[in-house]
Amino acid sequence: MQPSLLRLKQLVEAIHPLSEQEWKAFSGIWHPYSAKRKEILTVANQQENHLYFVVEGVQHVYYFDDQNREATLVFSYPSSFGGVVDSFMLRQVSQYYYETLTASSFLRASYPDLEAVMRRNRGVETMVRLGITGALSGVLERLVELQCYSSADKFRKLLQRSPHILQLVPHKYLARYIGVDPTNFSKFINSIKA
């Protein structure tokens, strides 16, 4: 089995184990794809047509408001799923952008292929539902953090949840992600190093 498919299988097994037949059907819909640094894979006002499994690189989903302020919503990195999942699953235009922060390689699956495999394989459908439910749980937890935590607490929570992220993601994006000024973010970084 290819190393990238093995990593995909490990993630799938952590969400919901599939039978051999279900894994064969699910693994057969994924195709290699690569993108350069700072390449926009999904554009707002267009429909997301692919679900991505990240093999290499770091990406983010972000939003621009009517005053052109940018909000970083989520990061994806190796051995995680990526893309604008609500647009993909609901078959509607995206409100968000999905962009590579570094050169990236993926496996990606189209919506028609995933839909067909889910329809024919109950275990795949269960795994996708549980994966999306887990993601929703994470979003709800993050909303609490954004609305109730101090800037310092948001920073600490980020490091608790993803300690490796400081080495993966440029700090200006992390500052946006937790909703703090980049200068304050630098102070938080320096407080760790002290």
Side-chain angles (χ1 to χ4, degrees):
M1 185 181 307
Q2 300 173 21
S4 54
L5 278 177
L6 181 58
R7 287 165 58 190
L8 175 62
K9 186 172 188 178
Q10 290 168 339
L11 178 59
V12 166
E13 294 289 317
I15 298 169
H16 178 76
L18 301 178
S19 71
E20 191 59 39
Q21 175 208 352
E22 290 166 336
W23 167 250
K24 186 175 180 182
F26 183 71
S27 65
I29 66 172
W30 295 89
H31 305 285
Y33 183 78
S34 60
K36 296 176 182 159
R37 178 184 176 277
K38 301 295 286 173
E39 187 173 326
I40 297 175
L41 303 175
T42 307
V43 177
N45 297 315
Q46 292 182 4
Q47 188 175 78
E48 174 69 84
N49 292 312
H50 295 94
L51 178 63
Y52 295 84
F53 174 74
V54 183
V55 177
E56 292 179 18
V58 179
Q59 309 79 41
H60 71 140
V61 173
Y62 63 98
Y63 173 80
F64 281 114
D65 70 6
D66 57 359
Q67 296 174 26
N68 214 30
R69 292 176 296 193
E70 183 178 328
T72 296
L73 305 174
V74 69
F75 297 102
S76 53
Y77 38 81
S79 297
S80 67
F81 289 113
V84 183
V85 178
D86 65 329
S87 172
F88 178 77
M89 293 302 291
L90 296 172
R91 309 312 302 143
Q92 62 188 24
V93 297
S94 175
Q95 297 180 57
Y96 315 109
Y97 295 84
Y98 183 49
E99 178 186 42
T100 60
L101 296 177
T102 64
S104 301
S105 61
F106 308 91
L107 295 176
R108 71 179 190 176
S110 71
Y111 180 81
D113 288 348
L114 181 60
E115 173 65 22
V117 168
M118 287 191 309
R119 201 173 37 253
R120 290 191 300 265
N121 297 276
R122 176 102 168 114
V124 173
E125 195 237 356
T126 299
M127 185 272 301
V128 170
R129 177 178 46 80
L130 291 173
I132 290 171
T133 303
L136 174 60
S137 178
V139 168
L140 294 174
E141 185 178 323
R142 205 161 118 56
L143 285 172
V144 169
E145 291 169 18
L146 289 172
Q147 293 181 27
C148 298
Y149 287 25
S150 68
S151 295
D153 288 340
K154 287 188 257 187
F155 179 75
R156 279 191 286 278
K157 188 68 173 176
L158 174 68
L159 292 185
Q160 180 185 34
R161 184 174 45 246
S162 304
H164 58 287
I165 203 156
L166 291 177
Q167 285 74 45
L168 291 176
V169 177
H171 295 172
K172 71 178 184 178
Y173 297 106
L174 292 173
R176 280 189 207 135
Y177 178 72
I178 64 171
V180 300
D181 183 87
T183 305
N184 288 340
F185 192 85
S186 293
K187 289 177 186 174
F188 295 143
I189 297 286
N190 292 333
S191 73
I192 299 173
K193 294 176 182 174

